[in-house]
Amino acid sequence: MRPLLLAATALALAAPAAAEAQSVDRQIADLTARVEKLEGTRAILKLQRAFGYYVDRGLWKQAADLFADDGSVEIGIDGVYMGRDRIEEYLRRLHGGQEGLIYGQLNEWVTLQPSIIVAEDGRSGTGRWRDVGMLGQYKQHAEWRDGIYENTYEKGADGIWRIKALHLYVNFVAPYERGWARLRGEEGLVRSQAAADFPPDRPPSATYAPFPAVQVPPFQQPNPVTGRPVR
Amino acid sequence: MIRSLSSPTPTPVRPELVEGPLCSSSATKREKNAPSTSSGRTVVKLAMLLAAALALTTPAIAQQTVEQRLASYRERVERLEDQLAIENLQADFGYYFDKGLWNEVAALFSRNGSFEYGMRGVYLGQDRIQRALLLFGPQGLAPSHLNNHMQLQGVVIVADDGRTATGRWQGMVQLAEPNANGMWGVGIYENTYVKEGGTWKIASLHFYPTALTDYNAGFMRSTIPMEGQSALFPPDRPPTEVYRSLPGNYIPPFSFDHPVTGQSLQDLPQPPDSVLGRK
């Protein structure tokens, strides 16, 4: 009789405790998901900044290794390059074909103003960034580049974040001498020699209208206050 | 405010300290009722086990502690989410402003939000802000115009209660108009934010241009004064602070306290200005 009573008491005590524990588990799971989203955001910031730092110094392999297996790169009107090997070779050719930079080559891909959204499931993300390019060759030429990145990112089965698609909408590449304000017609955006010699896997995915025309690179993310798409 | 920089929760619940005495006291209690046949060590072990069981089955005291811990962590996670949301908000402001998407810009402000740009004065409320933005150009950027306003180097401080925040930003500016030289500019944003219905909005945006120059001449040969108040669409209030951009050296007051010393940098002595009679 006594053991039975004890067991019953224990059960009665355990039932609400189980419910409480479940609630605690739920809360911890919820918090874990939120922290993982925050960590995902930090991982994306690091990824994109690393891409800039690597390309700056001609580390083509390291830059390409930031991409997913089916990752892609699209810059200006050069078209879309698919996969790490093609991305690496495209980046190399875009900068003269050699490893690293050559003497006097200015190549700053300054990557700023991130707006990053990680999906609810914490496995993918989108990012808009501002590109300020300082490009040139000592004693020969120097340019400003203005652009907007609209990129996507994904977290692999191994838990590592990678760039899924990098898309740089180039607004202009302008001679330093007189600056962007004196650009005419389409001269602010030309197809690279690299794209001519080493054609892309796919043609450009968008139509481009460089400065002095006006183009608003489409926003992947909605207005953060209205929640509506930006057109 | 400074406290929020060094530790996100000003009065963190310290579960280690709360649980410690709690466990030992219940263990002590149990030890008295434990069978006297066992050795001392077994008694202690048993007591600890029982205490652990107790902790699980007495929601009133022990569970409250777990709830408190969770609530404390949730607060800290939420402050991080708040900061991120504000960083996105300010970046998006810049992206919309660049392209003359004035409807999208105005929608980022709270109902009583305010917008102030240099010496143009203060505009209040979304509708007035949206119209005032037309002073910068038509809805949708006009051809041959460049209106790049970068949003960089943010220092965002979210209040401990997570309802308001401040942000200071570096704002490099690239401008162009048809048939004219380009312009370089730079300035400081000092903004406040408010969380309404779970969404962060801009409560006040104040851009202090600190230098503007003709691209071809450069900063040391050309300093372009700020635009004044519009006669066409006058502001609701005059500028909150009157100053000169380069060659003046005005210091926009800091919303955030010094992160190490805690010193406020709100009320700094400003450099001399003969026009303003400031020595």
Side-chain angles (χ1 to χ4, degrees):
Chain A
M1 202 51 194
R2 262 185 97 180
L4 249 175
L5 216 126
L6 268 174
T9 316
L11 257 180
L13 277 169
E20 291 269 0
Q22 203 179 27
S23 148
V24 166
D25 282 349
R26 244 201 325 271
Q27 291 182 65
I28 290 173
D30 170 61
L31 273 175
T32 305
R34 289 166 70 175
V35 168
E36 274 176 7
K37 278 184 70 179
L38 288 166
E39 290 171 341
T41 308
R42 298 306 316 178
I44 289 169
L45 293 170
K46 187 176 167 188
L47 258 185
Q48 192 61 49
R49 288 166 176 163
F51 178 83
Y53 288 130
Y54 296 157
V55 173
D56 279 358
R57 290 296 166 266
L59 304 170
W60 321 126
K61 171 79 163 68
Q62 285 83 350
D65 280 344
L66 298 170
F67 286 79
D69 290 346
D70 58 349
S72 65
V73 162
E74 180 175 7
I75 297 171
I77 51 174
D78 276 2
V80 184
Y81 291 84
M82 307 284 300
R84 284 186 290 272
D85 292 347
R86 301 266 303 156
I87 290 170
E88 181 184 339
E89 186 57 19
Y90 169 61
L91 290 175
R92 183 179 290 109
R93 286 168 179 256
L94 196 57
H95 294 85
Q98 75 290 333
E99 294 308 313
L101 303 181
I102 60 170
Y103 179 77
Q105 188 172 0
L106 176 69
N107 194 52
E108 303 297 332
W109 291 46
V110 185
T111 310
L112 307 166
Q113 204 176 324
S115 180
I116 308 293
I117 301 282
V118 171
E120 278 308 310
D121 67 3
R123 303 215 61 86
S124 64
T126 57
R128 190 177 180 97
W129 297 78
R130 179 190 296 281
D131 160 69
V132 178
M134 300 171 71
L135 314 170
Q137 185 60 43
Y138 184 58
K139 300 273 193 195
Q140 291 178 32
H141 59 92
E143 295 84 28
W144 289 109
R145 186 179 61 209
D146 177 43
I148 296 287
Y149 291 97
E150 274 285 350
N151 300 345
T152 62
Y153 308 88
E154 70 176 18
K155 192 180 184 177
D158 56 3
I160 295 175
W161 281 88
R162 293 183 179 80
I163 304 173
K164 172 92 169 165
L166 180 144
H167 190 168
L168 176 57
Y169 292 82
V170 175
N171 190 31
F172 60 71
V173 175
Y176 182 86
E177 185 65 26
R178 301 177 73 204
W180 49 82
R182 298 302 180 174
L183 286 170
R184 291 284 172 268
E186 302 276 311
E187 67 183 344
L189 179 60
V190 296
R191 190 170 185 234
S192 72
Q193 191 57 42
D197 299 341
F198 185 66
D201 299 289
R202 291 204 307 257
S205 67
T207 52
Y208 298 90
F211 179 85
V214 174
Q215 180 177 34
V216 181
F219 288 81
Q220 296 180 87
Q221 296 163 191
N223 181 302
V225 171
T226 67
R228 287 194 294 271
V230 179
R231 296 188 205 290
Chain B
M1 203 64 100
I2 186 64
R3 193 168 283 158
S4 63
L5 262 180
S6 46
S7 75
T9 42
T11 49
V13 182
R14 295 197 184 281
E16 320 84 70
L17 298 183
V18 178
E19 265 179 8
L22 228 167
C23 281
S24 61
S25 73
S26 26
T28 319
K29 218 183 286 170
R30 275 277 145 184
E31 209 171 341
K32 285 175 184 164
N33 304 336
S36 53
T37 47
S38 322
S39 77
R41 192 179 280 178
T42 321
V43 171
V44 172
K45 267 190 180 168
L46 193 68
M48 280 171 72
L49 272 171
L50 281 167
L54 249 183
L56 278 171
T57 49
T58 47
I61 306 156
Q63 287 289 350
Q64 194 182 25
T65 306
V66 173
E67 289 293 339
Q68 277 175 4
R69 289 168 67 182
L70 282 169
S72 162
Y73 284 133
R74 196 175 298 112
E75 287 280 306
R76 293 166 65 173
V77 168
E78 202 162 293
R79 292 301 81 80
L80 291 168
E81 291 170 340
D82 290 338
Q83 173 143 355
L84 185 66
I86 290 164
E87 287 167 354
N88 277 348
L89 177 67
Q90 190 63 36
D92 292 340
F93 165 87
Y95 291 131
Y96 304 156
F97 196 90
D98 285 2
K99 302 296 183 183
L101 305 177
W102 308 135
N103 55 331
E104 303 289 353
V105 172
L108 300 177
F109 285 80
S110 64
R111 199 157 0 118
N112 304 315
S114 68
F115 172 83
E116 181 173 8
Y117 189 115
M119 292 296 103
R120 291 168 178 264
V122 185
Y123 292 90
L124 300 172
Q126 287 191 1
D127 293 345
R128 302 257 315 157
I129 291 171
Q130 190 167 340
R131 278 180 68 190
L133 290 169
L134 290 167
L135 297 170
F136 293 83
Q139 167 78 23
L141 194 61
S144 299
H145 286 255
L146 191 70
N147 194 42
N148 283 355
H149 283 68
M150 304 185 199
Q151 312 291 323
L152 312 171
Q153 209 177 324
V155 175
V156 172
I157 308 288
V158 181
D160 290 337
D161 67 4
R163 303 198 55 80
T164 58
T166 60
R168 187 179 181 96
W169 302 82
Q170 177 77 264
M172 298 192 74
V173 175
Q174 298 169 299
L175 303 174
E177 289 177 15
N179 306 311
N181 289 346
M183 283 186 275
W184 260 126
V186 67
I188 296 290
Y189 292 86
E190 270 290 354
N191 303 339
T192 65
Y193 307 90
V194 62
K195 200 181 197 174
E196 287 180 354
T199 302
W200 282 100
K201 299 175 186 177
I202 300 171
S204 66
L205 183 136
H206 189 169
F207 183 48
Y208 300 77
T210 49
L212 186 64
T213 191
D214 177 282
Y215 180 96
N216 298 39
F219 286 105
M220 294 304 110
R221 276 176 286 166
S222 151
T223 55
I224 301 170
M226 289 180 276
E227 290 265 0
Q229 297 175 48
S230 168
L232 197 62
F233 187 59
D236 297 287
R237 290 202 304 253
T240 49
E241 291 155 62
V242 178
Y243 70 97
R244 290 200 282 177
S245 55
L246 192 77
N249 271 323
Y250 187 69
I251 309 171
F254 287 75
S255 54
F256 65 95
D257 295 334
H258 189 288
V260 175
T261 66
Q263 179 201 7
S264 168
L265 300 169
Q266 286 270 0
D267 198 17
L268 295 166
Q270 296 292 347
D273 190 311
S274 54
V275 173
L276 292 171
R278 191 167 52 220
K279 299 194 172 160

